[in-house]
Amino acid sequence: MKKEKTILLVILFLAIILRFSGLGTRPLDGDEGVMIQTADTNSLRETIELSRIDAHPPLSFITNYVSWHYLGESEFASRFFSALAGVLLVLVTYKFIELAFSQKITLVTSLLVAVSPHLIAFSQENRMYSILALFAICSLYYFVLAIKNLTIGYLTLFIIFDILTLYTHLVGWVIIVAQGLFCLYRLK
């Protein structure tokens, strides 16, 4: 067991290096500029108001406001939460896969998430996709735990992560509908 935890730590360290190295060196692209423009306001309330004219839910704009105002006005700061979510995604994926599979499969899956070029790219953009993936996997993780052990704690965390998923991106509805269909299927 100690060997597996050491391997997981190495995988997480690799994920940190791959997501944070060069995070602030690439200039902002057009979509990232819109995110910064919405975050570069005098108040959080103003950022939320501006986010209402965008097609996306407000949570990514709120995280951008926090990073821009409290971590600094830089490319690195604006992408920090996406990179952090990308690293945490590796850990949560490990916990989620561990529910049903062996340690070997769990570690291989975590490694694949850590080195996935697409997931690394999402983690290095000031966009909502990395955060969406993290909240979606957290939602699925607590959904499975709530089904296995119906406790108020797991049910509450499942609902919180479903809400966070919805407030991050509208595709969160797909996950919620799938969870609902699964519950209906189990009632048969």
Side-chain angles (χ1 to χ4, degrees):
M1 188 63 125
K2 184 175 173 144
K3 179 182 175 186
E4 287 84 7
K5 298 300 179 190
T6 303
I7 294 170
L8 177 61
L9 286 174
V10 170
I11 292 170
L12 286 170
F13 185 69
L14 177 63
I16 290 168
I17 291 170
L18 291 173
R19 281 154 179 81
F20 280 94
S21 62
L23 191 62
T25 58
R26 185 176 48 83
L28 297 171
D29 67 23
D31 287 340
E32 290 178 307
V34 170
M35 299 295 283
I36 294 302
Q37 187 178 20
T38 307
D40 191 20
T41 61
N42 294 324
S43 70
L44 182 57
R45 178 184 294 275
E46 191 177 340
T47 293
I48 293 170
E49 285 298 319
L50 283 173
S51 75
R52 290 183 184 183
I53 61 173
D54 194 274
H56 300 292
L59 190 59
S60 58
F61 297 103
I62 293 168
T63 58
N64 274 301
Y65 177 87
V66 170
S67 66
W68 194 250
H69 288 273
Y70 297 102
L71 299 178
E73 297 178 0
S74 68
E75 286 86 352
F76 180 90
S78 70
R79 297 174 179 142
F80 177 80
F81 284 120
S82 291
L84 180 62
V87 173
L88 293 174
L89 178 64
V90 175
L91 181 61
V92 174
T93 299
Y94 174 88
K95 296 299 290 177
F96 179 62
I97 299 299
E98 188 179 46
L99 293 174
F101 295 99
S102 69
Q103 277 291 334
K104 186 175 184 179
I105 291 173
T106 301
L107 288 169
V108 169
T109 304
S110 299
L111 179 63
L112 291 174
V113 171
V115 300
S116 166
H118 293 294
L119 293 175
I120 293 168
F122 287 151
S123 295
Q124 292 185 332
E125 289 183 357
N126 180 14
R127 303 283 296 166
M128 71 286 297
Y129 305 116
S130 182
I131 298 169
L132 170 68
L134 174 64
F135 289 155
I137 291 295
C138 286
S139 169
L140 292 170
Y141 175 69
Y142 286 110
F143 176 72
V144 170
L145 288 177
I147 288 173
K148 286 184 172 185
N149 314 311
L150 191 56
T151 66
I152 193 73
Y154 290 146
L155 193 57
T156 301
L157 287 167
F158 155 63
I159 291 168
I160 287 170
F161 281 109
D162 264 0
I163 292 168
L164 289 171
T165 301
L166 282 176
Y167 272 81
T168 302
H169 199 282
L170 295 176
V171 80
W173 281 110
V174 173
I175 293 160
I176 292 171
V177 167
Q179 291 167 337
L181 290 173
F182 180 81
C183 288
L184 288 174
Y185 175 77
R186 291 235 4 218
L187 288 175
K188 282 177 144 185

